[in-house]
Amino acid sequence: QVQLVESGGGLVQAGGSLRLSCVASGRNFSSYAMAWFRQGPGKEREFVAAISWSGGTTAYADSVKGRFTISRVHVKNAVYLQMSSLKPEDTAVYYCAADSLFGTIRKRCDYWGQGTQVTVSS
């Protein structure tokens, strides 16, 4: 069982930066692939970024590629999402997720956090 808690959300102006954190607890956290998803107002939840258990492989949605960076620090049981050049379209609730398979994490995840709100003003 893995529990995920996100933090770091808030209000930021367009062009600014923000770093989200996800702290995990439970067994075998380091063996899980991790991902970030987001859900904007009136939209379906969408994939943002993912990272393999080793941290050696990452994947990004085209909409955030070059602007967002996902990383993890196993000793801290944490995964991060560094966001830069933020746009109003990035406004959403951001969710941390974990799954045993990196290859399918975009489509399904075993564990989810409660989410943290990110609001980007014009």
Side-chain angles (χ1 to χ4, degrees):
Q1 185 75 18
V2 175
Q3 296 180 5
L4 308 173
V5 180
E6 304 97 331
S7 63
L11 280 66
V12 63
Q13 65 180 358
S17 299
L18 203 63
R19 188 180 75 159
L20 304 183
S21 298
C22 175
V23 178
S25 62
R27 299 171 61 185
N28 300 317
F29 163 74
S30 63
S31 68
Y32 281 80
M34 303 293 295
W36 288 94
F37 291 76
R38 67 186 182 186
Q39 186 169 18
K43 296 183 177 181
E44 295 289 327
R45 185 174 297 183
E46 66 174 341
F47 169 78
V48 176
I51 188 167
S52 64
W53 68 267
S54 68
T57 305
T58 58
Y60 297 92
D62 289 340
S63 60
V64 306
K65 195 171 298 182
R67 299 189 298 119
F68 291 11
T69 301
I70 188 171
S71 62
R72 70 190 302 169
V73 179
H74 288 292
V75 71
K76 295 183 178 180
N77 291 335
V79 62
Y80 306 97
L81 185 68
Q82 178 65 50
M83 306 181 292
S84 62
S85 300
L86 284 163
K87 306 174 181 179
E89 305 93 273
D90 295 319
T91 294
V93 176
Y94 284 71
Y95 298 90
C96 178
D99 194 76
S100 60
L101 298 174
F102 176 79
T104 56
I105 198 167
R106 298 174 186 81
K107 301 177 180 180
R108 54 141 288 158
C109 294
D110 290 331
Y111 304 100
W112 294 87
Q114 295 289 71
T116 185
Q117 177 71 48
V118 172
T119 302
V120 184
S121 63
S122 301

